[in-house]
Amino acid sequence: MKRQPLSDASANILLPLGLILGLVLLLSFNVEQSHTETISRSPLELWLKLIVGYLAAGTEIAAAVVIGGAVIQGIFAYIRQLFSHSRPSFDATESIRLKLGRVLVLGLEFTVASDILRTAVAPTRQDILNLGAIVLLRTLLNFFLEQEIRQAEQSRLQQREPVDNSYVVADKDSNDHRHIG
C-alpha cells in the first residue's frame, strides 16, 4: 500500500475538521429576526423572487431526477448481476457503487445550486447563515464521497495492472522486438 505524503495526510484531516468547525460555528449563531423588517418591497423584487423560486425548484427537481435515475439504474444493474449465470464479482458491485457515488456528488452540486438560488434575492443575515451551514454540510458530504470514489478507483486500477517485470527491447532500425525477463 502506498503511503501518502505528510501534507496530503494532514489536509485529509484538517479540511474536514475545519469544515465541521465552521458548520458548528454557523449553526451556533442565533440571529433574531428583526421586527422592523420592511414589508413594502418593489414589484421587481417580488417578480425576481418568484422567478428565482421557480428556478430553484427546477434545480431541486433536476437533482431528484438525476439521483433517482441513478438509484433505479443501480438497482437494475445489481439485480442483473445477481441473476447472471456468471459468478458474482466484487468488482461489479464496486462499479455500481462508484457510479452511484459519482451521481450523488452531482446531485449534491444541484442541491447546493438550488440553495444558492433561493438566497440570491434580498437575503437576510439568517438566510446567509443557513446557506453557509447547508453549503458546508454538503461540501463535507461531497468531500468524503469524492475521496472514497478516488480511493476506490485507484485500488481498482492497481488491481488491474498486471505484475510483469519483463520489458520489450526494440532495435531502432528493425522491427525486431525481444522480451527480456
Side-chain angles (χ1 to χ4, degrees):
M1 192 174 240
K2 199 180 200 182
R3 294 189 80 186
Q4 291 181 339
L6 185 59
S7 63
D8 287 347
S10 62
N12 285 340
I13 293 171
L14 291 177
L15 180 65
L17 285 177
L19 288 173
I20 290 170
L21 181 65
L23 180 64
V24 168
L25 286 174
L26 281 174
L27 291 175
S28 68
F29 285 122
N30 188 8
V31 179
E32 294 182 19
Q33 291 290 337
S34 170
H35 294 292
T36 61
E37 188 177 320
T38 57
I39 295 181
S40 63
R41 293 187 176 145
S42 69
L44 179 61
E45 185 180 331
L46 293 174
W47 276 101
L48 197 56
K49 274 194 175 254
L50 181 69
I51 292 168
V52 168
Y54 284 126
L55 285 173
T59 307
E60 287 175 353
I61 290 169
V65 167
V66 165
I67 293 172
V71 167
I72 290 170
Q73 277 183 330
I75 289 170
F76 283 132
Y78 185 72
I79 289 172
R80 211 174 23 246
Q81 175 194 339
L82 281 177
F83 293 115
S84 70
H85 294 294
S86 65
R87 150 182 143 225
S89 75
F90 176 73
D91 192 41
T93 305
E94 186 72 13
S95 173
I96 294 169
R97 193 173 147 269
L98 287 174
K99 286 177 188 175
L100 184 60
R102 284 188 203 103
V103 174
L104 286 175
V105 168
L106 178 64
L108 281 171
E109 296 295 330
F110 274 115
T111 58
V112 167
S114 169
D115 292 331
I116 290 171
L117 279 171
R118 288 198 188 283
T119 59
V121 181
T124 64
R125 188 179 321 161
Q126 187 64 43
D127 290 340
I128 293 171
L129 288 174
N130 289 344
L131 174 66
I134 290 168
V135 167
L136 272 175
L137 180 63
R138 290 188 176 151
T139 302
L140 262 174
L141 289 171
N142 198 354
F143 172 79
F144 287 119
L145 274 171
E146 291 261 354
Q147 189 175 23
E148 189 171 338
I149 288 169
R150 194 176 311 116
Q151 287 173 352
E153 286 177 343
Q154 285 175 351
S155 68
R156 202 167 149 195
L157 285 175
Q158 288 173 354
Q159 288 175 355
R160 285 187 178 176
E161 290 177 357
V163 180
D164 186 14
N165 292 333
S166 67
Y167 56 94
V168 175
V169 175
D171 187 9
K172 281 185 177 179
D173 299 329
S174 72
N175 290 332
D176 184 24
H177 299 286
R178 287 174 270 157
H179 273 294
I180 299 176

